[in-house]
Amino acid sequence: MATDYKNIKSRINLRSIREQRGDKTHFIYELIQNADDSKSKRLELHLCEKELLVWNDGCKFREEDVHRISSIGFSDKGLTQIGNFGTGFKAVYNYTDRPEVYSGDERFCLPDPTSISKTLADLASLSLVEGIDEVPPKIAKLVEEGKTVFRLPFKENLRPEDLTLLKSQLRELLKKRPLLFLPHLETIQWHDICDGQTGTYCRYLYDEKIQSANQVELRASMDGEYQESEKFLVFSKKIQPRRDIIEELLQVEYDEERRKCIQETAEKRQPIEVAFKLQDGRITAVNNCVLFAYLPTEKETHLRFFIQARYQTNPARNDIEKTDQNPWNRWLVQETANFLPEVLEQLKSGGWLKPAFFNVLPLREDSIPAEFAPITEGLQKAMQKGAFVPTQSGGYSKAENVFYPDTTRLRKLVKSSGMHSDSSLLHPYIRKDAKESERCFDVMAKAGVKEVKANDLLRWLEKQSLDWFKNRTDKWLRFLYVYFNRKWSEFEWKRIKKLPLVRLENGQHTCMLENGQHTCMNDGLVFFPPDTDEDREEIKPFLKDLPILKATLLEGDEHNNIEAFLKSVEVRVLHPEDMIREWVIPQYSQTDKPSKKENLLHVHYLFKVWDKLSGYEHKNLREEIGKTPILRAYNGVQPETYDFVAPCDAYLPKAYTGDDNLETYFSVYDGEVWFVDDAYLEADSNRKEWLQFLKGLEVKDTPQVIEVEVVGSYEECEKRGITRQRSTRPFEDGAFKDVHYSGHFDGAIADFEFAGLSEVFCSN
């Protein structure tokens, strides 16, 4: 039985109606919401030249529904039910003066109250409902099929641009995603009878779930042909309103009916939902991300994913009431923030928490409106407290236990060195130097993932043993050299030089500075491998002992960077003067002298490179060699006795001079006289070359002239046959000075004689 329309006393809020005149097509969303409230599965809109017909297959109108739709600007629905004709349906009056409703036994129209109220001082007793006697055949058929029909005959003075706007709104429904969060409505279809076009929007719910999440697909087609679709992962939860929130709402509400609605709402669990967009099997960010209060509002959240709850909206329902003024909305936002850690756990369990997912999470710098700040803060806290950070091993860990190297090269070094386990390294996809993951990296950094820098690697390497370095591959060392070829402070360079980073040809490692922690060979002295065959041949006998850098460390495309680093730690090019001064000579100042075999190699090396030391710039080095006990020699008095002597203290035997004059001369000498060992000669054919080389070393081929100090007066010296009045003595710096004597001088004067000469005279 139809309602007695004459006895309905409509409650009308004209101010609310006038506020909505600008939101001309909003009534479409009210019709969508009403269809869902009535548990309809399908909604159709037929746009004709003079009218819009809308029907759904939901529950039929009841008398209380007639009362609700006739009370414009008021509602006796629940606190947050937004499918409320009283607040949104009034926008229909932008297009029609008399919207009609046909549902079951109900047939009525709702004249525009603003058109009849000019003559009425009091609208309290106005009935806005008028019964309809005759039903058009087409509508009657739809009603018989169980449909609820809304007929909106257009105003006679409707502007063409308003009709164009309505057509545009129908065509862009998918972009607004009105079906995303509705629990019942699955299909919206529109027909533009004038243009002969049809559009369909459908929502498909997949059976596969991730705990409380549904997979939802929204599809659009035009004239039966598929156009586009979107998929979403929707997480839902129902929460009981807090008593203090209800009390706070009641304190500012005096209308009895509204207070009743608030109290009824307190007994109902409220849904909150979070939806992530799916694309190509992964979660992606949403642009133009508006807030949903079941239907989309125009409130931009900048969250990059959708959130939905029964927020209290403004009359236009394009925005929500500010959370600092509305405790209900503030509570819903906070509860959504509290729900997000659960969502992350479910995403992780379902395999959706992949590295690229973190591009979706909002950052504070994303211009997030203040009312949604709890969402951003809640996500950040969740990332800090929960094990949500993807690691290189494929698992997840807490942010405080995860590290990320600052470059790809450092990541490889850290991984290969064992500095951190795979389970503690940030997933390699997430890098700050990669555009596609830059945002993910920012999310991780704000969550508290720690950065590993070059200095951290250096600090870790300082704790490793010498054997650890020996176990690294040549490839790893080359990689490290390239990474370490960067700007360091002087203090840092000293630390690097104390590491046994340099591998020698003999497999040993060396530090470039003394270091008490490591036992390194030849600390501070390493040479690059020779460049030429000649140079390589010269040092070939010493490769096992000489601190020569392993040649394979210089291989590869990054040779220049490797060489630059090694030069920075003072690995040097091997010049003969360096070889002699820093490798050969020091061995003869030690207590343990080289063996005969080693000495032969050393002297033969000097023989090969002696011509390279002929320049004036090598004068000091030649003199240093001449004073170093580097030649193996035998005692002329006791030929079986050998020792190392300085070249300037040795004589050339017959093996080099071709005669035995010196041996004969010193045969009666009772002091020490040393002859160079003839083992240096390889064959008689190069005897002359060795003679010249040894003479160049200041080895003597004539008896040494020695200075004799004579004490007495000038006259006594004359009697002894010492007639020279001038002697030449060297300064310490090598220059010479004249010493004059007079007949009145008493004291020491100098004389010179040949070594062994007195013994020769005595023997004769």
Side-chain angles (χ1 to χ4, degrees):
M1 180 182 293
T3 302
D4 183 359
Y5 304 124
K6 294 182 180 180
N7 291 327
I8 292 178
K9 303 301 180 182
S10 303
R11 303 180 66 202
I12 303 172
N13 186 334
L14 291 180
R15 178 182 176 184
S16 177
I17 295 174
R18 293 181 179 121
E19 284 177 351
Q20 300 309 307
R21 288 295 190 178
D23 190 15
K24 293 185 176 181
T25 60
H26 183 71
F27 67 89
I28 292 177
Y29 292 97
E30 297 297 330
L31 293 169
I32 292 173
Q33 181 64 60
N34 175 259
D36 190 78
D37 283 347
S38 66
K39 299 182 180 181
S40 173
K41 297 292 185 181
R42 183 180 182 86
L43 175 70
E44 290 196 33
L45 302 97
H46 287 235
L47 181 60
C48 305
E49 181 179 359
K50 295 184 178 181
E51 65 181 11
L52 175 67
L53 286 178
V54 182
W55 62 82
N56 64 62
D57 58 0
C59 299
K60 300 178 179 63
F61 261 58
R62 298 166 299 175
E63 183 174 348
E64 53 265 34
D65 297 318
V66 178
H67 282 270
R68 288 190 185 111
I69 198 172
S70 67
S71 298
I72 300 193
F74 297 92
S75 174
D76 60 354
K77 283 195 172 185
L79 175 64
T80 57
Q81 281 185 275
I82 61 173
N84 184 344
F85 285 122
T87 58
F89 186 70
K90 52 189 167 292
V92 74
Y93 293 115
N94 287 299
Y95 283 83
T96 182
D97 293 326
R98 291 171 57 86
E100 300 172 4
V101 180
Y102 303 87
S103 180
D105 294 331
E106 306 293 349
R107 294 161 176 74
F108 60 91
C109 67
L110 302 165
D112 183 355
T114 60
S115 64
I116 61 176
S117 62
K118 296 177 183 179
T119 59
L120 296 173
D122 186 4
L123 297 177
S125 59
L126 175 65
S127 175
L128 194 59
V129 183
E130 295 180 3
I132 297 176
D133 297 328
E134 295 185 7
V135 181
K138 181 179 180 180
I139 294 177
K141 183 179 179 182
L142 290 170
V143 173
E144 288 177 5
E145 295 173 355
K147 306 292 194 302
T148 294
V149 182
F150 298 87
R151 177 175 177 265
L152 309 179
F154 294 143
K155 295 181 178 182
E156 293 183 0
N157 60 348
L158 185 68
R159 297 180 302 175
E161 54 265 35
D162 289 338
L163 189 58
T164 300
L165 179 63
L166 183 57
K167 290 184 177 184
S168 175
Q169 184 74 301
L170 294 175
R171 284 165 171 77
E172 293 185 1
L173 276 178
L174 184 67
K175 294 181 180 179
K176 301 293 182 66
R177 307 175 179 95
L179 294 176
L180 179 57
F181 292 107
L182 295 179
H184 304 293
L185 193 61
E186 296 176 353
T187 302
I188 300 175
Q189 189 173 69
W190 58 266
H191 303 267
D192 187 338
I193 306 302
C194 300
D195 294 342
Q197 289 185 318
T198 298
T200 304
Y201 305 109
C202 300
R203 176 173 62 90
Y204 294 90
L205 188 64
Y206 291 85
D207 293 335
E208 183 182 354
K209 280 193 174 186
I210 300 178
Q211 295 185 16
S212 64
N214 291 317
Q215 291 192 57
V216 175
E217 182 178 3
L218 304 179
R219 295 182 190 174
S221 61
M222 181 72 73
D223 297 330
E225 293 185 5
Y226 169 82
Q227 281 193 318
E228 57 182 313
S229 69
E230 288 184 307
K231 290 183 179 180
F232 293 88
L233 200 59
V234 183
F235 294 86
S236 303
K237 182 180 182 179
K238 288 190 175 183
I239 50 176
Q240 190 68 36
R242 291 204 330 247
R243 192 70 247 174
D244 61 314
I245 299 297
I246 299 300
E247 292 298 329
E248 191 173 350
L249 291 171
L250 290 173
Q251 287 177 8
V252 295
E253 182 59 65
Y254 298 101
D255 183 88
E256 285 302 320
E257 291 189 16
R258 291 290 296 168
R259 287 178 64 85
K260 182 180 178 182
C261 289
I262 292 172
Q263 290 168 340
E264 290 177 353
T265 301
E267 305 303 321
K268 299 176 182 177
R269 292 168 60 83
Q270 298 298 316
I272 54 174
E273 295 179 285
V274 177
F276 297 98
K277 185 176 180 179
L278 299 177
Q279 187 172 346
D280 300 326
R282 60 188 179 90
I283 295 174
T284 60
V286 178
N287 297 320
N288 302 319
C289 195
V290 298
L291 179 72
F292 275 73
Y294 270 113
L295 289 172
T297 68
E298 296 177 9
K299 179 67 176 180
E300 177 64 55
T301 67
H302 297 284
L303 290 176
R304 301 167 70 85
F305 57 87
F306 292 119
I307 60 172
Q308 193 282 133
R310 290 180 171 178
Y311 294 99
Q312 288 188 317
T313 65
N314 60 2
R317 293 211 300 112
N318 61 354
D319 198 354
I320 64 170
E321 296 181 9
K322 299 295 182 182
T323 56
D324 59 345
Q325 301 171 2
N326 188 300
W328 178 264
N329 288 348
R330 183 170 63 250
W331 170 68
L332 287 174
V333 169
Q334 186 58 59
E335 288 297 329
T336 302
N338 297 342
F339 179 42
L340 288 172
E342 298 179 36
V343 171
L344 291 178
E345 285 288 358
Q346 293 179 46
L347 286 169
K348 186 170 74 171
S349 298
W352 292 98
L353 205 62
K354 299 175 182 178
F357 163 80
F358 297 95
N359 278 314
V360 175
L361 298 191
L363 298 169
R364 289 180 179 176
E365 53 267 31
D366 289 339
S367 301
I368 306 293
E371 53 262 50
F372 302 117
I375 303 289
T376 306
E377 294 169 1
L379 281 169
Q380 187 167 330
K381 288 180 180 178
M383 289 297 299
Q384 291 170 345
K385 295 180 179 180
F388 299 124
V389 177
T391 63
Q392 187 159 292
S393 64
Y396 298 88
S397 185
K398 287 187 176 182
E400 62 183 12
N401 298 326
V402 180
F403 303 84
Y404 62 88
D406 62 352
T407 64
T408 302
R409 183 173 291 273
L410 180 57
R411 174 181 288 278
K412 292 180 179 179
L413 281 170
V414 168
K415 179 185 178 185
S416 59
S417 67
M419 180 177 176
H420 292 292
S421 65
D422 285 351
S423 61
S424 66
L425 285 176
L426 186 63
H427 194 285
Y429 170 85
I430 305 175
R431 309 196 318 270
K432 69 177 180 181
D433 58 348
K435 186 176 180 180
E436 66 274 12
S437 66
E438 185 177 358
R439 185 183 185 88
C440 297
F441 183 85
D442 290 341
V443 170
M444 297 303 160
K446 286 179 170 56
V449 174
K450 299 178 181 64
E451 183 175 12
V452 178
K453 296 185 178 180
N455 240 312
D456 299 302
L457 176 63
L458 176 56
R459 201 161 32 243
W460 186 80
L461 290 174
E462 288 173 329
K463 300 176 183 178
Q464 306 312 306
S465 67
L466 180 60
D467 286 339
W468 185 89
F469 284 96
K470 288 181 178 180
N471 289 329
R472 300 305 100 193
T473 64
D474 288 352
K475 181 179 179 181
W476 186 88
L477 284 173
R478 287 195 296 267
F479 207 77
L480 178 68
Y481 294 164
V482 174
Y483 179 73
F484 269 7
N485 184 34
R486 55 174 57 210
K487 290 183 179 180
W488 298 91
S489 68
E490 182 178 353
F491 173 71
E492 289 167 335
W493 274 120
K494 288 182 179 179
R495 292 170 59 194
I496 292 172
K497 291 177 184 178
K498 289 181 180 180
L499 295 174
L501 298 178
V502 182
R503 178 170 293 165
L504 306 181
E505 280 290 356
N506 59 14
Q508 297 297 320
H509 278 243
T510 184
C511 309
M512 304 310 292
L513 284 179
E514 291 185 7
N515 187 342
Q517 181 179 350
H518 301 293
T519 303
C520 304
M521 297 182 60
N522 314 308
D523 288 1
L525 180 64
V526 178
F527 300 113
F528 283 109
D531 291 329
T532 66
D533 292 339
E534 179 185 356
D535 292 339
R536 279 191 288 273
E537 186 62 29
E538 287 176 355
I539 67 166
K540 184 177 180 180
F542 311 109
L543 286 179
K544 290 184 178 180
D545 301 315
L546 195 65
I548 299 291
L549 179 78
K550 191 174 182 182
T552 54
L553 292 174
L554 295 170
E555 295 176 350
D557 296 336
E558 296 182 294
H559 166 85
N560 292 338
N561 283 327
I562 294 172
E563 187 176 52
F565 166 73
L566 292 169
K567 286 181 178 179
S568 297
V569 296
E570 300 181 21
V571 175
R572 288 173 284 173
V573 175
L574 179 59
H575 299 293
E577 56 267 33
D578 297 317
M579 171 79 170
I580 296 166
R581 179 176 284 119
E582 301 190 47
W583 172 253
V584 177
I585 290 178
Q587 296 189 52
Y588 293 89
S589 63
Q590 300 172 2
T591 303
D592 296 329
K593 298 294 190 294
S595 66
K596 177 181 178 180
K597 182 179 179 180
E598 292 171 333
N599 175 256
L600 286 173
L601 294 174
H602 294 159
V603 176
H604 273 269
Y605 176 75
L606 290 175
F607 175 73
K608 291 178 182 178
V609 302
W610 188 252
D611 289 342
K612 298 178 181 180
L613 306 177
S614 60
Y616 177 78
E617 67 275 14
H618 301 304
K619 177 177 178 292
N620 291 338
L621 178 58
R622 292 197 301 270
E623 291 178 355
E624 186 177 356
I625 297 170
K627 297 176 182 179
T628 300
I630 197 173
L631 290 178
R632 191 170 185 270
Y634 61 88
N635 193 320
V637 179
Q638 296 176 322
E640 70 278 3
T641 302
Y642 283 84
D643 201 355
F644 289 113
V645 298
C648 63
D649 294 331
Y651 289 95
L652 291 167
K654 179 181 178 180
Y656 297 97
T657 61
D659 60 63
D660 60 356
N661 293 338
L662 282 174
E663 288 98 326
T664 302
Y665 175 80
F666 283 110
S667 62
V668 296
Y669 186 57
D670 61 357
E672 285 189 346
V673 59
W674 297 94
F675 289 95
V676 178
D677 188 357
D678 60 5
Y680 296 123
L681 284 172
E682 297 172 342
D684 190 61
S685 60
N686 65 352
R687 177 168 56 83
K688 289 183 179 180
E689 295 176 7
W690 273 93
L691 177 63
Q692 294 302 315
F693 163 64
L694 291 172
K695 290 176 69 174
L697 286 177
E698 302 296 331
V699 179
K700 296 173 178 56
D701 60 353
T702 60
Q704 182 179 8
V705 177
I706 60 176
E707 181 179 314
V708 179
E709 187 175 72
V710 180
V711 180
S713 65
Y714 178 73
E715 290 76 9
E716 290 173 338
C717 291
E718 261 191 341
K719 290 178 182 179
R720 293 178 60 184
I722 303 174
T723 59
R724 291 186 300 169
Q725 294 179 310
R726 175 176 295 175
S727 174
T728 304
R729 292 185 180 180
F731 280 112
E732 291 181 357
D733 62 1
F736 290 86
K737 67 178 179 179
D738 289 335
V739 180
H740 297 271
Y741 305 100
S742 68
H744 304 287
F745 174 79
D746 292 329
I749 62 175
D751 190 16
F752 299 89
E753 63 181 37
F754 288 108
L757 185 60
S758 60
E759 284 83 352
V760 173
F761 287 149
C762 292
S763 68
N764 292 331

